[in-house]
Structure formats: C-alpha cells, structure tokens
C-alpha cells in the first residue's frame, strides 16, 4: 500500500480532519449533531441500526453461502482470557456441578445406572467476544433515541433496549475489511498499537480487496486489525484496555453514510487506543451507540476468517451472530459464525 495512505494513520502527532486534540467535548457534540439517528425509526424504537437489516437483505445474504465453509469468530471463554479486573470484569469461571467421577460412584441418585455431568459458568457479559448493546453507553445522561439514561437502565437492568429485544436480528451480510493485512507491515498483517484507521484506509482496503468487500446499508462490518492474532504469539499483555489499533473518531461519518447495521473488530474496544484526544475515554462509543444506535462487536477472533478471505479473494459472507436473550442485559457474549 502506498506511503501516502499509511502516513495519515498510526501514531501521527496531528489529529486528522482538523480535530482539536484538546476538545473532545466539542468533537463529540459536533459528530452527534451531524450523524444522529434519533427519531429515524420512530420515537419508540429499540433496535437502532438493526432496522437496516431487512428480510430481503437476509435472503440475499443467505445466497452467499456457496462452499458451506463455517468459521467461528469467538475467542474461547475460559480463565485464560484477557481480563484483569478493570470495572470488576473478570475472565469466565467454569465449574463442574456433576462429573464422571460421581457417575461411576453411583453418587447422583439416578435410577438404572444412568449418569451425567452438569456445569455452571460465572462471568461478566462483556469479558470476551460480545456485542455492546444500546444501553451500554450514554452521552450526557441520554441513551439511544434521546431517552433519559435513568429511565432506560436501572439496577433491574435495561428495561427498554435490553439484548432480548434484538435476539433475532443479528443475521445478514457480513463484510470483512482486513485493514491489518492490507496496510500492516508486521508479520501476519498487523497494525501497530495506536494506529488510527481513517475513512481513507477503509476505502483503500475496499479497493484492494475488490467488489465483494463493498459496504452498503444493512451490512455487518467486520474489521480485522491483527491485534488478536498478535496475542496468540505474544500473550494477552495489555489487550484489555491497553494501547491498540482501531477505528478513528473520524470514521463516524463514514459509518453513518454507509448505514452499516453493526461494526465488530478483533480488539478490546473497537476504537483506537490511546484515544485521539488528550483527555478522553472512548469518545467514538459516546457517539455511535447512543446517537447512531450502532451495535459494536468487540474481541472477535478473525485470524482464520481473514486467512480464508485472503486465499479466495471473497470478503462477503453470511454472518449469524445472535446475542443471548438475557433480559435487561446491556451487552452479550456470543459465538458469531461466518458462512461462505
């Protein structure tokens, strides 16, 4: 890829698009005003950008399955995960309630020699591969569609936009933009920490990959940076909350113009870290979730899918990625599956 394209991303000292590094508040307010979807699907809407996925869209997406190849895009859910306790997020704890030992000993109180095993898992809902729901992030006390945050999420959970309201909606055309492979210089196609993926990087990746990576309304955009792949070689390190490549704040307009249904990446937090302002925390989230109604997928495992798409030069697929319909949840673990 050309040096000109690379020079605009990464760890450059100057913010792109004339953003003021000292004024995240102003940038957030301006982006929210330009890109807001409040009221677009009615005042009572709970699905946000998922309204863009129509029955016809899903029908066409199903026709993309030609080989029958299937790829799980989930990281493993176990104690060897990336979490370090920030905001009380821990890795999953899996415990057996009944095992083959009790079955052999006849300890289970069951008739005619039948035995079995049962287990339980305890985990935060956002500790591994997940969707961020619409009740996850607020802007100045306002949730998706302009609702008061206190009227949406209470100690009882999200009573308006809980993940159960969209349990059937995460199926449609997925598109992989492998920015890591097309712009990265590290082995395996990886972007360095702090690399801000700009709109021109997304466009350049589409041009490099070809027609099957065109992004349109209702598509599920999947962006590979290579960050997760690096953890497979080097360990988790600071993967959870540390420096990472990711989407620039300036991609918000691009996402709104392309009307994507959701965005998922192989990083902890989708947007570039450190964030692009002097004193900020996830400003991209602060706009796209409460104002665009956009669902964000985090910590997806994209290495196998990325390699396959590179091999056959086909970057579109049927994506089936439903959340667990946990009543009132503001996010959900999942096992997204790409079918080609």
């Amino acid at each position: 890829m050309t040096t000109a394209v690379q020079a605009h991303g990464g760890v450059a000292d100057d913010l792109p698009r004339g953003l003021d590094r000292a004024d995240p508040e102003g940038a957030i307010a301006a982006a929210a005003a330009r890109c807001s979807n409040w009221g677009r699907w009615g005042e009572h809407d709970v699905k946000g950008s998922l309204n863009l996925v129509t029955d016809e869209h899903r029908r066409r997406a199903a026709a993309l399955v030609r080989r029958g190849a299937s790829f799980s895009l989930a990281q493993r859910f176990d104690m060897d995960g990336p979490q370090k306790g920030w905001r009380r997020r821990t890795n999953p704890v899996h415990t057996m309630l009944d095992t083959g030992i009790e079955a052999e000993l006849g300890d289970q109180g069951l008739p005619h020699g039948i035995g079995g095993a049962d287990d339980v898992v305890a985990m935060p809902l956002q500790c591994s591969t997940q969707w961020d729901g619409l009740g996850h992030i607020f802007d100045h006390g306002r949730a998706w569609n302009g609702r008061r945050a206190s009227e949406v999420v209470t100690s009882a959970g999200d009573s308006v936009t809980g993940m159960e309201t969209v349990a059937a909606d995460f199926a449609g055309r997925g598109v992989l933009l492998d920015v890591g492979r097309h712009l990265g210089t590290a082995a395996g196609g990886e972007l360095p920490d702090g690399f801000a993926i700009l709109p021109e990087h997304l466009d350049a990746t589409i041009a490099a990959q070809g027609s099957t990576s065109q992004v349109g309304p209702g598509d599920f955009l999947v962006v590979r940076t290579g960050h997760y792949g690096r953890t497979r070689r080097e360990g988790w390190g600071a993967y959870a909350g540390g420096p990472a490549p990711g989407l620039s704040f300036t991609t918000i307009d691009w996402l709104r113009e392309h009307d994507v249904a959701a965005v998922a990446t192989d990083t902890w937090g989708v947007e570039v870290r450190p964030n692009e302002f002097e004193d900020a925390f996830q400003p991209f989230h602060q706009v796209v979730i409460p104002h665009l109604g956009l669902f964000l997928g985090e910590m997806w495992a994209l290495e196998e899918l990325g390699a396959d798409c590179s091999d056959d030069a086909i970057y579109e697929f049927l994506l089936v990625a439903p959340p667990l319909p946990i009543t009132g949840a503001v996010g959900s673990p999942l096992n997204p599956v790409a079918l080609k």
Side-chain angles (χ1 to χ4, degrees), residues 250-263:
T250 63
T251 60
I252 293 173
D253 294 81
W254 191 97
L255 296 170
R256 177 62 176 81
E257 290 164 7
H258 287 76
D259 260 347
V260 297
V263 179

Side-chain angles (χ1 to χ4, degrees), residues 107-164:
D107 249 359
Q108 296 179 320
L110 299 172
H112 49 74
I114 189 172
D118 269 334
D119 46 5
V120 63
V121 64
M123 65 179 183
L125 298 184
Q126 296 175 336
C127 67
S128 189
T129 305
Q130 63 164 49
W131 285 120
D132 278 349
L134 297 185
H136 178 52
I137 297 292
F138 313 119
D139 179 21
H140 291 80
R142 293 289 169 175
W144 160 240
N145 227 16
R147 300 179 179 97
R148 292 179 58 190
S150 61
E151 295 176 351
V152 176
V153 183
T154 66
S155 59
D158 184 339
S159 61
V160 180
T161 52
M163 296 304 294
E164 75 280 5

Side-chain angles (χ1 to χ4, degrees), residues 163-178:
M163 296 304 294
E164 75 280 5
T165 63
V166 290
D169 296 294
F170 287 92
R173 180 179 181 255
V175 180
L176 177 71
L177 295 190
D178 197 340

Side-chain angles (χ1 to χ4, degrees), residues 14 92 207 221 338:
D14 296 326
L221 175 61

Side-chain angles (χ1 to χ4, degrees), residues 75-85 89-96 120-124 127-128 232 236 240:
Q75 299 182 16
R76 291 187 178 182
F77 286 76
D78 57 34
M79 291 186 68
D80 182 25
Q83 300 301 331
K84 296 183 176 181
R89 289 184 184 175
T90 60
N91 294 310
V93 178
H94 175 230
T95 305
M96 298 307 301
V120 63
V121 64
M123 65 179 183
C127 67
S128 189
R232 301 304 83 201
W236 288 115

Side-chain angles (χ1 to χ4, degrees), residues 262-324:
V263 179
T265 75
D266 55 355
T267 69
W268 173 84
V270 176
E271 59 191 284
V272 63
R273 293 183 58 81
N275 300 139
E276 297 163 286
F277 300 93
E278 290 173 357
D279 183 17
F281 179 75
Q282 304 300 77
F284 174 93
H285 278 62
Q286 191 174 341
V287 177
V288 301
I289 293 179
H291 289 284
L292 274 68
L294 187 67
F295 289 80
L296 298 181
E298 297 170 336
M299 295 180 279
W300 288 33
L302 302 178
E303 295 306 290
E304 186 181 6
L305 177 64
D308 187 84
C309 290
S310 178
D311 287 344
D312 70 3
I314 295 176
Y315 292 87
E316 61 183 350
F317 44 87
L318 171 63
L319 179 69
V320 181
L324 298 178

